[in-house]
């Protein structure tokens, strides 16, 4: 029974990935608004009933793909590293989006980028708030409420991404990563009650 369920789960995962990949490929070939559910199922080579088992419509496919990406982003944000090193994976995020720039342009033509960035900001705010709250519960005194911190960080991440992509990526991902952390890092560090002096002391104590 367990092995049967495992096989079923793997088959479902493959089907969902296939449908999402089909939509992504189609967006780079034609205008998003002209893509139909039939186009997606034909491209993925699955049945219509299979599609509707997993998704309501093509928008559901797109947003689901985006949220999977956002979930991985949140998992790699380490607030405790603010001020010491890159506490958000901006470089990796931008390198990924650079490779998918054709997709971004395709979505921009249909006006979908604003919708996805709004979803992204809300998603990050919702899922980063517990991270800030956890730090507060562990004894850290936050000078700004966790909900405000989470919303601020989410906005900053997507403001950086949108400007960079809209300007046709004038700086490398590494340069944007450095600028993001120089601008945003000190604010997060201050909220967490960390100062350059405490960081120096922390590094010194780790040596001995």
């Amino acid at each position: 029974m367990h092995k049967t369920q495992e096989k079923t789960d793997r088959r479902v995962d493959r089907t969902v990935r296939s449908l999402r990949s089909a939509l992504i490929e189609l967006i780079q070939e034609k205008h998003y608004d002209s893509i139909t559910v039939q186009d997606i199922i034909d491209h993925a080579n699955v049945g219509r009933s299979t599609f509707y088992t997993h998704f309501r419509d093509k928008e559901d496919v797109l947003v689901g793909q985006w949220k999977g990406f956002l979930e991985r982003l949140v998992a790699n944000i380490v607030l405790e590293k603010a001020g010491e090193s890159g506490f958000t994976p901006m470089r990796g995020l931008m390198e990924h989006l650079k490779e998918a720039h054709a997709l971004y342009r395709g979505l921009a033509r249909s006006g979908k980028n604003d919708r996805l960035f709004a979803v992204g900001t809300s998603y990050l705010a919702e899922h980063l708030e517990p991270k800030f709250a956890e730090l507060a519960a562990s004894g850290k005194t936050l000078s700004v409420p966790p909900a405000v911190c989470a919303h601020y960080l989410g906005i900053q991440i997507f403001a950086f991404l949108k400007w960079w992509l809209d300007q046709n990526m004038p700086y490398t991902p590494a340069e944007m990563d450095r600028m993001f952390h120089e601008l945003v890092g000190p604010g997060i560090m201050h909220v967490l009650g960390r100062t350059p002096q405490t960081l120096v002391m922390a590094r010194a104590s780790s040596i001995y």
Side-chain angles (χ1 to χ4, degrees):
M1 181 66 179
H2 178 69
K3 288 184 177 179
T4 301
Q5 182 62 47
E6 192 174 302
K7 288 181 180 179
T8 300
D9 291 344
R10 285 203 301 268
R11 186 165 60 249
V12 168
D13 288 343
R14 283 197 300 271
T15 299
V16 169
R17 285 198 303 270
S18 178
L19 288 165
R20 287 174 174 168
S21 296
L23 177 59
I24 296 304
E25 290 168 9
L26 287 167
I27 290 171
Q28 297 177 74
E29 296 173 5
K30 57 195 298 187
H31 199 285
Y32 175 83
D33 294 337
S34 69
I35 298 171
T36 65
V37 168
Q38 189 62 50
D39 290 332
I40 297 171
I41 62 179
D42 287 345
H43 202 80
N45 194 27
V46 302
R48 179 171 286 269
S49 61
T50 300
F51 177 92
Y52 286 110
T53 297
H54 304 292
F55 301 105
R56 295 186 304 274
D57 49 32
K58 67 177 182 181
E59 186 87 355
D60 196 23
V61 182
L62 181 63
V63 173
Q65 172 79 4
W66 182 231
K67 284 187 175 180
F69 176 74
L70 295 171
E71 183 180 357
R72 294 189 294 275
L73 171 60
V74 170
N76 285 285
I77 294 177
V78 184
L79 299 175
E80 295 89 334
K81 289 187 176 181
E84 292 185 67
S85 59
F87 66 99
T88 63
M90 291 298 289
R91 180 172 181 172
L93 175 59
M94 289 181 158
E95 286 174 345
H96 174 79
L97 291 178
K98 184 176 181 179
E99 293 174 0
H101 196 231
L103 171 63
Y104 179 84
R105 288 300 184 194
L107 290 170
R109 286 194 297 271
S110 299
K112 286 296 174 184
N113 286 339
D114 288 344
R115 155 80 170 143
L116 290 179
F117 280 0
V119 169
T121 300
S122 297
Y123 186 96
L124 289 191
E126 178 185 351
H127 290 80
L128 286 173
E129 184 177 348
K131 285 180 175 267
F132 280 103
E134 184 179 346
L135 289 175
S138 69
K140 287 188 180 296
T141 302
L142 273 62
S143 59
V144 177
V148 178
C149 292
H151 189 67
Y152 166 80
L153 185 53
I155 287 175
Q156 295 306 314
I157 288 173
F158 281 105
F160 251 70
L161 292 177
K162 187 176 188 307
W163 180 88
W164 184 64
L165 290 168
D166 288 347
Q167 297 300 315
N168 201 29
M169 304 175 292
Y171 301 101
T172 67
E175 289 171 324
M176 289 298 291
D177 179 86
R178 177 186 61 78
M179 288 186 279
F180 176 86
H181 287 97
E182 285 189 6
L183 286 169
V184 178
I188 299 299
M189 183 173 65
H190 176 75
V191 165
L192 298 178
R194 311 186 78 192
T195 64
Q197 183 178 2
T198 61
L199 291 179
V200 170
M201 292 174 62
R203 292 191 188 103
S205 63
S206 67
I207 296 174
Y208 298 102

